[in-house]
Amino acid sequence: ERQRAGDHADEATAGASDDSYESEEEDPFLQRQSQLRTFQRGDFQVGGMIGQGSFATVHKAKQLATARDVALKVVRPESELDFGTGPNGSTPAVSYKDVLKAMKQEVLLMEMIGSHPNIVEILGTAEDCRVFVMERAASDLYTIVKQQERNLPFQLAKLWAAHMLHAVHFMHEHGVVHQDIKSSNVLIFSDRSAKICDFGLARRSKPTMSVDRELVTLWYRPPELLMGESTYTPKVDEWGVGCILLEMMIGLSPFKGKPDCICQCPHITHRNYNSDQLMKIFAVVGTPKDRALLARQACTVHFSKWPIFPAKLEGTVKRMCTAERLWRGKGDMPGEQEVDEKAAAWHFIIAGLLNLDCKERLTAEQALRSRLFAPSKRPTSSSVSRSPDGKAPPAVAAGGEGQ
């Protein structure tokens, strides 16, 4: 349910390693030693599993020396992993060595980024980067959105939107592209802060990068990859944030493509094509008409004869922007004019982040300068009181495990 269908074995090799190096031994970045604190397994009281991915599991734990609640990300033993076979029964392209390399890359990348209040903190490692020690969250955004359905207060949506954008801008400024921005990778803490986690698919960024494999979880995959561009930019992360903003509005992932709707074309740029995913995007943001944009796409043969979809995003945003969801818990309910203004501000930022043309897509920095985040004229409060129906908005959404 958390989009694992889009997380294939490629994730073990899709990380930070520079494309020009054949092996870990040749890449100076991977020769660096982590400066993080080194822990032993005995330093923690390990509890139950609270999450899992293709190659690692996440467990809640308590650091015995400090009684601090933490989360441990642990690479699976080689005996638990099935890498399948390569073409014609050959050796698979991904090995356990690649998995361990990806774990080390994740640690080094997060050290390279440095500390930021909206990026989850790695406290240390154990067993030669086979175990990460991380701060533990109260929940994750996927869980909260699912619990709240279409009732997530816009005050929280706006706060978390800003936190995500600050994190993306910071990591891009430090030369890292995440490549897996999705709601389940946004952790929510007890102080209501949102932090991006899971840099397992991240890499050192360049202004333009070559498409050489399947990239980004399907439901959050940007159109330039789906349509077959041969290169991509760090703005794949901004597309992911745009998807999450719309997800917070409508209460579910907006583009839930079926993973088996792929083509059999041999060219590498077709590896990211999915007809159902692309059609769901067009049905919301409209069919692209720019000839220069379409000329860059390798997969136009698959969708050039589709019906023309009109853009429906503005109407969707306007329907979701209600006075009840915009109300801050103090003072009068917002009037019709204020509701329309807020709807326009939300539409501007979501449409900008979900621009089909990555060259025109808003950067995180540009999005943070938009009208949505301008100082409010209405009185605000550091705490949120009860909504008009008498129910308190979620502190961080009860019941989520986080991580």
Side-chain angles (χ1 to χ4, degrees):
E1 193 170 12
R2 296 205 182 181
Q3 292 64 262
R4 294 300 176 192
D7 299 336
H8 299 304
D10 280 337
E11 70 180 53
T13 57
S17 188
D18 192 295
D19 297 338
S20 61
Y21 297 102
E22 293 291 334
S23 67
E24 179 177 345
E25 290 72 21
E26 295 179 7
D27 190 344
F29 182 77
L30 293 175
Q31 295 302 308
R32 298 168 55 183
Q33 294 299 313
S34 170
Q35 302 302 308
L36 292 172
R37 178 179 175 182
T38 301
F39 290 98
Q40 303 298 320
R41 284 282 189 115
D43 294 334
F44 304 96
Q45 179 183 352
V46 183
M49 185 172 68
I50 54 178
Q52 59 181 317
S54 301
F55 300 104
T57 56
V58 181
H59 302 260
K60 58 184 177 181
K62 185 179 292 289
Q63 186 180 354
L64 296 176
T66 62
R68 179 176 183 177
D69 290 329
V70 297
L72 303 182
K73 181 175 180 178
V74 184
V75 66
R76 294 178 185 271
E78 185 172 8
S79 59
E80 292 185 8
L81 300 179
D82 180 11
F83 297 104
T85 58
N88 301 317
S90 61
T91 302
V94 178
S95 67
Y96 194 63
K97 182 179 179 181
D98 293 320
V99 174
L100 299 180
K101 172 184 169 183
M103 294 284 282
K104 182 178 181 180
Q105 287 175 163
E106 184 172 356
V107 170
L108 294 175
L109 274 179
M110 295 194 72
E111 281 191 281
M112 176 178 162
I113 294 171
S115 177
H116 188 273
N118 301 121
I119 295 175
V120 72
E121 180 183 6
I122 289 188
L123 306 173
T125 64
E127 300 182 13
D128 193 26
C129 292
R130 297 185 187 213
V131 178
F132 299 172
V133 183
M134 303 178 290
E135 56 181 334
R136 193 159 106 211
S139 188
D140 63 76
L141 189 51
Y142 172 87
T143 300
I144 292 177
V145 169
K146 184 177 180 180
Q147 290 174 337
Q148 292 295 305
E149 296 179 338
R150 296 184 178 184
N151 297 313
L152 182 69
F154 274 29
Q155 182 179 355
L156 289 177
K158 177 181 171 182
L159 176 69
W160 294 335
H163 288 180
M164 287 184 281
L165 290 166
H166 279 296
V168 168
H169 174 56
F170 185 80
M171 69 178 75
H172 288 181
E173 285 286 292
H174 285 75
V176 173
V177 54
H178 188 278
Q179 299 192 149
D180 200 23
I181 299 291
K182 56 186 178 183
S183 57
S184 57
N185 281 344
V186 179
L187 303 182
I188 306 299
F189 288 75
S190 57
D191 62 356
R192 297 189 180 181
S193 63
K195 302 186 182 186
I196 291 178
C197 71
D198 196 346
F199 283 71
L201 298 184
R203 61 165 290 170
R204 285 170 284 166
S205 66
K206 301 175 184 177
T208 303
M209 295 160 283
S210 297
V211 174
D212 59 357
R213 56 175 63 89
E214 189 173 352
L215 295 162
V216 187
T217 299
L218 179 61
W219 291 358
Y220 300 84
R221 186 175 300 162
E224 58 266 29
L225 295 178
L226 292 162
M227 293 191 293
E229 282 208 34
S230 60
T231 61
Y232 68 103
T233 74
K235 287 186 181 180
V236 296
D237 288 345
E238 276 86 352
W239 175 271
V241 175
C243 291
I244 297 173
L245 265 58
L246 187 54
E247 185 173 340
M248 289 192 290
M249 280 206 156
I250 66 176
L252 74 167
S253 300
F255 312 120
K256 300 171 69 171
K258 299 174 184 177
D260 56 346
C261 296
I262 59 176
C263 69
Q264 301 301 320
C265 301
H267 197 276
I268 191 67
T269 55
H270 288 250
R271 286 281 299 278
N272 288 291
Y273 178 75
N274 183 290
S275 60
D276 192 55
Q277 183 69 21
L278 191 60
M279 187 172 291
K280 282 180 166 59
I281 291 172
F282 288 175
V284 173
V285 301
T287 298
K289 301 174 183 177
D290 188 298
R291 292 185 178 182
L293 169 64
L294 293 172
R296 303 199 303 265
Q297 317 306 324
C299 296
T300 51
V301 62
H302 297 310
F303 61 85
S304 61
K305 298 185 185 304
W306 286 1
I308 303 298
F309 293 95
K312 297 181 179 178
L313 179 61
E314 185 173 10
T316 299
V317 172
K318 191 168 184 178
R319 284 195 304 274
M320 294 296 106
C321 282
T322 63
E324 289 76 17
R325 292 183 71 182
L326 289 168
W327 188 62
R328 295 186 180 86
K330 293 193 72 174
D332 297 331
M333 291 280 285
E336 183 178 350
Q337 181 178 348
E338 183 178 354
V339 171
D340 289 343
E341 290 174 353
K342 293 296 184 184
W346 274 100
H347 173 255
F348 174 84
I349 191 171
I350 294 175
L353 294 169
L354 295 183
N355 195 312
L356 293 172
D357 189 345
C358 63
K359 294 183 178 181
E360 302 298 325
R361 189 175 303 149
L362 290 179
T363 65
E365 183 180 20
Q366 290 170 332
L368 285 166
R369 292 201 301 263
S370 72
R371 185 160 41 119
L372 180 66
F373 301 111
S376 175
K377 299 178 182 178
R378 290 172 58 86
T380 60
S381 172
S382 59
S383 62
V384 181
S385 61
R386 296 189 177 274
S387 60
D389 62 4
K391 297 179 181 179
V396 289
E401 284 283 8
Q403 251 84 8

